[in-house]
Amino acid sequence: MPTDDFNNPESDNIPRHIAIIMDGNGRWAQKRFMPRAVGHQAGVKAVRKIVEYCAKQKVEVLTLFAFSSENWRRPEAEVSLLMALFMATLQREINKLDRNNIRLRFIGDRTAFSDKLQEKMAEGEAQTQDNTALTVVVAANYGGHWDMCQAFQKVADKIATGELKNQSISEQLINEHLSTAGLPDPDLFIRTGGEQRVSNFMLWQLAYTELYFTPTLWPDFDQNSLEDAIKSFKSRQRRFGHTSEQVLNKSVTQ
Ligand code: IPE
Ligand code: IPE
Ligand code: MG
């Protein structure tokens, strides 16, 4: 059971890890009678501002859902556009992230991407791996089901070779084999664009995350919108199964 931060003692603390489903790019463009591509481009600008803000606020981890394992089902032209935009954004932003001491990490099945894109992703991770400010995790070809499957596969392989025993399977062991190994679970989940669903995002890791849904379309999501989400987060009492009184009295040791 989680005991590390159950008391949430500094209630004015901002979340350590914010995870965002950046949804609504297409509708943002359609509202303006423009192609969906324009919405995705506007979405990248919103990413830049949110990253800057999180770095300034000393958020530790910002996870951004950029492309889901289901998004391959979109028309080929949109998928190609998204891949090109992903590549161009990495080419333009890696040095800037590095200069700002930001660490970049990717989660998801990257083998489906082109060799060039995979190389750029690896380069971005290597170049920024020692940075100590914000960690930006980009979820690309990511799915919560995929994440659990790949973790179970790794564990099963280790059991087959005798490195692990069946009995060693624990929540911690699973955590250590998920793509998010070493990162704290998200404290705050935000989904823009009005839909109230998780769409196969971080299914294991969201177990005790505070959920926030907003109708704001992703390209319109700015610093003020994020402040509203953080304000909502701060107003909540995280109980992790305890009673409200226990939390208030801080009677359970951490
Ligand atoms: C989110 O915006 C971006 C990706 C999924 C890549 P959408 O493209 O889903 O925008 P809507 O939901 O169609 O408005
Ligand atoms: C979720 O958005 C994935 C990303 C934002 C990358 P979608 O727009 O693909 O989600 P659904 O299909 O509406 O659930
Ligand atoms: Mg969508």
Side-chain angles (χ1 to χ4, degrees), residues 21-23 65-68 71 74 191 197 199:
I21 298 188
M22 311 182 288
D23 196 20
F65 203 6
F67 191 86
S68 77
N71 285 146
R74 294 193 177 198
R191 181 174 187 141
R197 56 177 172 254
S199 300

Side-chain angles (χ1 to χ4, degrees), residues 189-192 194-198 211-215 236:
F189 159 99
I190 298 170
R191 181 174 187 141
T192 63
E195 312 299 347
Q196 303 197 0
R197 56 177 172 254
V198 174
L211 307 179
Y212 182 87
F213 297 93
T214 171
R236 304 179 190 191

Side-chain angles (χ1 to χ4, degrees), residues 221-236:
F221 192 83
D222 61 10
Q223 179 176 322
N224 288 334
S225 323
L226 182 53
E227 277 171 358
D228 286 346
I230 293 174
K231 207 165 132 196
S232 166
F233 171 81
K234 286 178 181 173
S235 73
R236 304 179 190 191

Side-chain angles (χ1 to χ4, degrees), residues 1 12 20 32 63 88-89 110 118 133 137 174 177 179 196 203-204 214 221 225 231 235 241 247:
M1 97 182 247
D12 53 332
I20 308 182
R32 288 163 177 75
T63 298
T89 306
R110 59 182 86 186
Q118 288 186 55
V137 180
I174 305 284
H177 290 82
S179 62
Q196 303 197 0
L203 298 178
W204 173 282
T214 171
F221 192 83
S225 323
K231 207 165 132 196
S235 73
V247 176

Side-chain angles (χ1 to χ4, degrees), residues 10-36:
E10 282 132 19
S11 58
D12 53 332
N13 254 2
I14 60 155
R16 283 179 74 190
H17 182 172
I18 301 177
I20 308 182
I21 298 188
M22 311 182 288
D23 196 20
N25 293 349
R27 280 164 286 162
W28 184 92
Q30 278 157 353
K31 260 174 62 182
R32 288 163 177 75
F33 305 103
M34 292 195 285
R36 294 174 60 85

Side-chain angles (χ1 to χ4, degrees), residues 30-248:
Q30 278 157 353
K31 260 174 62 182
R32 288 163 177 75
F33 305 103
M34 292 195 285
R36 294 174 60 85
V38 177
H40 294 311
Q41 280 155 354
V44 175
K45 286 192 190 151
V47 168
R48 218 177 282 135
K49 286 191 203 137
I50 294 306
V51 168
E52 271 171 33
Y53 180 78
C54 287
K56 215 162 57 195
Q57 295 300 315
K58 305 226 176 332
V59 170
E60 284 175 43
V61 185
L62 172 67
T63 298
L64 299 168
F65 203 6
F67 191 86
S68 77
S69 42
E70 289 73 35
N71 285 146
W72 299 106
R73 296 172 185 160
R74 294 193 177 198
E76 213 181 299
E78 181 164 345
V79 171
S80 305
L81 176 276
L82 286 167
M83 292 303 140
L85 194 59
F86 190 23
M87 187 68 181
T89 306
L90 291 181
Q91 276 164 341
R92 211 180 36 235
E93 302 292 331
I94 289 173
N95 285 337
K96 202 168 127 199
L97 292 172
D98 194 22
R99 277 199 302 279
N100 287 294
N101 196 23
I102 295 171
R103 186 165 65 129
L104 185 60
R105 178 163 161 179
F106 297 96
I107 55 171
D109 181 5
R110 59 182 86 186
T111 61
F113 296 131
S114 71
D115 290 346
K116 264 180 83 179
L117 192 47
Q118 288 186 55
E119 276 164 31
K120 199 76 203 163
M121 290 162 80
E123 188 189 313
E125 286 181 323
Q127 187 179 333
T128 62
Q129 66 180 352
D130 296 324
N131 292 345
T132 53
L134 173 69
T135 295
V136 173
V137 180
V138 177
N141 193 20
Y142 178 86
H145 287 169
W146 165 83
D147 203 359
M148 287 191 244
C149 282
Q150 66 80 33
F152 300 156
Q153 271 163 10
K154 282 193 228 152
V155 170
D157 284 348
K158 289 183 186 175
I159 290 173
T161 62
E163 192 185 329
L164 284 175
K165 291 195 172 68
N166 285 353
Q167 296 82 337
S168 7
I169 297 177
S170 64
E171 292 183 20
Q172 195 193 328
L173 186 88
I174 305 284
N175 271 326
E176 287 164 5
H177 290 82
L178 287 168
S179 62
T180 47
L183 300 171
D185 283 343
D187 300 294
L188 172 61
F189 159 99
I190 298 170
R191 181 174 187 141
T192 63
E195 312 299 347
Q196 303 197 0
R197 56 177 172 254
V198 174
S199 300
N200 197 16
F201 186 44
M202 296 186 113
L203 298 178
W204 173 282
Q205 297 88 337
L206 291 175
Y208 257 108
T209 305
E210 296 297 328
L211 307 179
Y212 182 87
F213 297 93
T214 171
T216 304
L217 302 173
W218 175 250
D220 292 327
F221 192 83
D222 61 10
Q223 179 176 322
N224 288 334
S225 323
L226 182 53
E227 277 171 358
D228 286 346
I230 293 174
K231 207 165 132 196
S232 166
F233 171 81
K234 286 178 181 173
S235 73
R236 304 179 190 191
Q237 185 186 54
R238 303 186 76 189
R239 290 193 281 275
F240 297 101
H242 293 276
T243 66
S244 184
E245 287 70 25
Q246 285 176 300
V247 176
L248 289 170

